[in-house]
Structure formats: structure tokens, C-alpha cells
Amino acid sequence: DTVVYKSNLYTLNNLPVSEQVYPAVTPPSNGTYSSGNTLTFTITYASAVTVNTANGTPRLILSALGAGTIGTGNKAYATYQSGSGTTALTFSYTIQGSDSAPTSGLSMSSYIDLNGGTISGGSTCFTAPSLTGVLIAATYYRTVTIDHTKVGSIGSTNQTNFPVLFAGTYSYLATTGHGGMVTSASGYDITFTSDAAGTTLLPFERESWNATTGASVFWVQVPTVSHTADTVIYLHYGNSGITTDQANKNGTWDSNYKAVWHLDETTAGTQYDSTSNSNTLTDAHSSGQGQTTTAKFGGADLVNSTSDVWNAANSASLMPSSFTFQAWIYAANFNGSGSGDTLMYKSVSASPWLAYQLYLDSGHHLCLTWTNTSQSQPSTCGTTALSKNTWYSILGTFNGSSLRVYLNGTYNNGSASTTGTMYVTNPSSMEIGTGNSSVNPDAYFDEIRLSNTVRSDDWINTEYNNESSPDKATYGASGFYTVGAQTSR
């Protein structure tokens, strides 16, 4: 059959391109998709069209580019779903477990395969969009289930915006070149979310990660850690589409944290603060001590002899009116005699030289002192003597009127101090190591933190339970969390 169109002859199904009105195609957003995800396409016309599926369902033809494959024989179909009688037709394809397009994305044929169906009122041809950014790669997740019996066991409270330590050696968190599932050479595809779909990212910090072994130290801020029911978060990895760092170091630590030093930097001269306060520690070691492989987790630092010291320049954030001051320490030797051993303190550059201080007395008990405006120095000491060659969690709190010290997550002693405000005349640096007594132990320090609030007994105990025994696979019943089986999606 032929028609006369503007005095020219054309076959009915071969009108000039200039006379056709192609519909617009809205493809899926660029990103990496995995098994079970749906790719949705919308074809929009200038006027309403009618779809008849009595004899078949129209579809779009997809193929994978590069080394990928999709569907059967690298051909898959996004089938018609809805829209007949309107200007917008919707087509979709659900990704199968065998599909892959990890590097070059997809291509799409530039016409609708009617497949026995019909579309009346509009063209079945269009300009195919670029789908090179629509990637398909297998991704994996595991549940991380926090044991509620290890949470808030002293005062029966939930913990809010709590930084959970995720630490251990997990072979599947090595890179693919070393037998694991991680695709990023920097570990960027290791993430933590509150949902299995991986859409709600939790703030987390990557303290350390080993691409060869999968040894990992991450801190993850969990909105609520319940003391009555197990809390579940999700560990994700293996997404080749993630090529940039997803970590949020500053956001991992709530606004009450004024300094968090992991002491894991291997570069001489600096230890960086993980909070937004940027209270960097400067290496002032005269005897060349520093980074060590002896650590509670990640890295640590050795302070040795009477002259080693790390210091942070004075800042208002280091002079809170109430505080929680804490660290992990491992003493190889005690050097103090009658004066004991200084651990860490906030100094002032005039007598009596300190604002607050954690130290060991001559009997190796943990002590906390502070200086008030009358320059008296109330103090309190714990009842348990520390031993050499043992890791301890040490912590002191001051609420404006009383001092308390904690050892391994438990209140160890405290006494009422004189009233007053902190002595802040001529504030100077924060010192880790040599202090007011000029004597310090040969000790490894890890995870030094300062908060401008008094952390609750439940918070302190939960923190210790987590940090002393993270994974039940390693620590058994005392472990804080259990990692579930691998699930692909």
C-alpha cells in the first residue's frame, strides 16, 4: 500500500524521520544495582496512547556492555507494566542473580518490541538513552546483631547515638584479589546501614582495614542500642559501583565528644582527632617512641621514660566545665615512686600547672584530680591496683561537684570535691605522657577520648563490654555482637 503525503509517495510504515514525533525515555538512575533490584523505564508521549496486551506484552530489549551479561544470551526484557490511556508507559526489569554489568553498564534497543501486543497513537521508536552508568554487580550483606544483655545492664537504659566498635579479622572483607569479596582497593564498599536494602547509611569511621586479611576496625554510630531487645545493623560489601569513601568520621562521634584519638597514625609527628574539633596531637617524643603494633585495637602509641609526651594545643573544647576523660592503657613498667605516674592531663602555664589529670598513685591506683579557682586540687583514687602487662580501660568523670573513677567499665571509687569552677588561668596544652609530676609509666595508650558531659554508668559499662569483647565468634558468650551469614542481593 502507498499513500500520498505532501505530494510525495512513501510506504505507510516508512514516513520521513522529520515527520515523526518520538517519545522521550526516562531510564533508571545511574548507580549499581544487584539481584532483586528493579530497573524502571518510563516512555512519555505528547498525547495519550493505548496499549493492547491481549496477544502479547510489549517490552524493551536490554543488553550488557563490556564483560557483562544479562538475561538469556545477553538479552533481557523490561516488560510493559502500566500507563495505557495516558501519555506515560512504564516498563520494568527485575535483576536476576546471574546478571552482571559491573563496568560498562547496559545498552537498550531504540524501539519497543511489541511481542504480539499493540500500541496505538504513538511511535514505537525512540532515541535510546545512555545506560553506561547503570551498573549491575553482586553485593553482599550480613546482619550484625548486638546482644542486648551487654547493654545498659547497670541502670537499664538504652544508649543513644552510641559508637559501636566493629573489630575482627573477616576473610570476606579482604579484596577480591586476596580471596575476599571487597571490590575497592581502599575498602570503600564496606559500609554499615540500618536496613538490609542498604539505603540508610549509618555514620561510621574506618580506623583501620587490611585488604589482604580483612582485619578491620570500624566505629559505627547506632541511633539506639536497646537494653531490652537485640539491635540489628547491616554490614555491606562487594559493591563495585562504590568508588568513593562512604565514611563519615566526624559524624560518628556525637557532639559531646571534644577529642577522639585512636592513635593509629603511622606517620611520625601527628595523631589526628576524629571529631570536628581538630585537636591534633603533636609528637614531642625525645627518645623516638611512637607508633606500635601493640594495641588494643588498630594502632596505639608507646609513651616511654620520663621525657616522652604527646600534646594538643590549647582550645576551648579541651576545657569543659564537666567531663569524661578516658583511655585504654597497658603499662610495661611503673616509674613513679612517692609521686606515682602521670598518665594524661590538661595543663595551665602557671602554678599549680594543671586543670585536670588522670594519674596513678604510688600504689598504682587510678586517680583523678582537678584544680578549682581557689587553686586547691581535690582528688579521688580507685580501690583496685593496676598490674603491669595488662590492658585496662581507665576513665574519670567530673560533674562540677564530684569526681569518679572507673576501671574496666565499672565505678571504682569517688568522693565529693570542694565546690567551685575549674581553674582556667593561662590554659596550655593537653599532655599525654609526662605531666605535672614529670614521671610517667612505660605504657601503651589507645583510644583516648574527652567528652564535655558525664557519661552514664550504663554508657561506660556498655562501651567497655563492646570494646573488650567485640565479636562473639572470637570472644564467645562475652562478645558484644554476632555477625550473620552472607546474603547476596
Side-chain angles (χ1 to χ4, degrees):
D1 295 331
T2 59
V3 299
V4 176
Y5 183 78
K6 290 188 176 180
S7 300
N8 292 308
L9 292 175
Y10 298 99
T11 60
L12 183 62
N13 294 318
N14 191 26
L15 292 176
V17 171
S18 61
E19 302 298 334
Q20 299 186 55
V21 179
Y22 289 157
V25 181
T26 303
S29 299
N30 287 343
T32 299
Y33 299 81
S34 55
S35 178
N37 291 160
T38 298
L39 303 179
T40 300
F41 301 81
T42 302
I43 299 183
T44 305
Y45 293 87
S47 57
V49 295
T50 301
V51 181
N52 188 322
T53 60
N55 296 311
T57 303
R59 57 194 185 180
L60 306 176
I61 303 174
L62 306 174
S63 298
L65 299 172
T69 182
I70 188 173
T72 302
N74 198 25
K75 181 179 287 187
Y77 300 99
T79 57
Y80 166 74
Q81 301 296 321
S82 63
S84 180
T86 72
T87 58
L89 304 183
T90 300
F91 297 74
S92 68
Y93 174 71
T94 300
I95 295 170
Q96 304 302 300
S98 59
D99 294 343
S100 67
T103 57
S104 302
L106 303 175
S107 66
M108 184 170 69
S109 298
S110 57
Y111 62 92
I112 300 174
D113 176 12
L114 293 175
N115 191 35
T118 63
I119 297 177
S120 303
S123 173
T124 58
C125 297
F126 49 79
T127 300
S130 172
L131 301 178
T132 57
V134 179
L135 307 177
I136 300 174
T139 61
Y140 307 94
Y141 72 87
R142 293 173 185 256
T143 57
V144 179
T145 303
I146 298 170
D147 183 352
H148 73 276
T149 67
K150 304 300 188 293
V151 178
S153 56
I154 295 176
S156 299
T157 60
N158 297 336
Q159 305 309 307
T160 303
N161 296 331
F162 187 84
V164 171
L165 169 66
F166 178 87
T169 299
Y170 305 96
S171 59
Y172 48 85
L173 293 185
T175 56
T176 53
H178 294 96
M181 301 290 189
V182 173
T183 60
S184 167
S186 300
Y188 291 161
D189 53 312
I190 303 173
T191 61
F192 298 84
T193 70
S194 60
D195 62 323
T199 58
T200 306
L201 196 67
L202 296 173
F204 70 91
E205 178 182 4
R206 182 190 313 100
E207 179 180 341
S208 65
W209 170 73
N210 188 298
T212 302
T213 65
S216 303
V217 178
F218 289 83
W219 301 90
V220 186
Q221 188 188 95
V222 180
T224 302
V225 185
S226 172
H227 76 287
T228 58
D230 291 351
T231 300
V232 179
I233 61 174
Y234 297 84
L235 163 69
H236 298 262
Y237 52 95
N239 187 339
S240 61
I242 298 179
T243 58
T244 58
D245 196 355
Q246 305 297 296
N248 179 4
K249 180 176 70 173
N250 294 164
T252 303
W253 307 94
D254 72 29
S255 60
N256 293 309
Y257 282 107
K258 298 306 173 186
V260 173
W261 294 298
H262 298 304
L263 306 178
D264 63 332
E265 286 80 8
T266 57
T267 303
T270 53
Q271 297 285 358
Y272 293 103
D273 176 15
S274 289
T275 75
S276 59
N277 297 291
S278 300
N279 288 310
T280 300
L281 287 173
T282 301
D283 185 358
H285 294 295
S286 63
S287 57
Q289 303 301 322
Q291 181 70 30
T292 174
T293 57
T294 300
K296 183 61 180 175
F297 9 76
D301 192 75
L302 172 63
V303 174
N304 196 1
S305 81
T306 61
S307 57
D308 292 341
V309 62
W310 286 97
N311 59 56
N314 178 64
S315 75
S317 61
L318 298 178
M319 293 292 291
S321 57
S322 60
F323 60 78
T324 301
F325 198 23
Q326 63 189 113
W328 281 84
I329 65 164
Y330 178 102
N333 192 36
F334 299 112
N335 294 319
S337 53
S339 60
D341 291 283
T342 294
L343 299 176
M344 47 195 193
Y345 82 121
K346 179 67 174 68
S347 65
V348 293
S349 56
S351 180
W353 309 112
L354 65 87
Y356 53 89
Q357 176 181 237
L358 273 172
Y359 66 100
L360 302 179
D361 66 11
S362 58
H364 315 316
H365 304 97
L366 178 65
C367 303
L368 174 65
T369 187
W370 73 294
T371 304
N372 61 24
T373 50
S374 63
Q375 297 188 32
S376 63
Q377 295 178 318
S379 64
T380 186
C381 293
T383 58
T384 303
L386 277 66
S387 300
K388 292 190 294 184
N389 304 320
T390 302
W391 279 107
Y392 291 96
S393 169
I394 61 170
L395 188 147
T397 66
F398 175 62
N399 66 4
S401 61
S402 63
L403 305 166
R404 292 166 68 94
V405 291
Y406 293 75
L407 195 64
N408 290 344
T410 303
Y411 172 56
N412 201 238
N413 196 23
S415 62
S417 70
T418 57
T419 59
T421 56
M422 189 177 295
Y423 182 77
V424 296
T425 303
N426 300 314
S428 188
S429 60
M430 174 78 79
E431 307 286 345
I432 310 299
T434 296
N436 192 43
S437 65
S438 297
V439 178
N440 58 274
D442 301 333
Y444 301 96
F445 285 78
D446 205 350
E447 287 304 313
I448 302 174
R449 301 176 192 170
L450 176 69
S451 300
N452 69 346
T453 187
V454 174
R455 301 294 185 179
S456 70
D457 284 10
D458 273 353
W459 178 287
I460 293 167
N461 188 250
T462 301
E463 193 172 54
Y464 174 75
N465 290 341
N466 178 202
E467 295 176 8
S468 62
S469 307
D471 192 343
K472 288 184 183 292
T474 301
Y475 295 95
S478 64
F480 192 73
Y481 62 77
T482 301
V483 181
Q486 178 171 284
T487 302
S488 62
R489 64 172 183 83

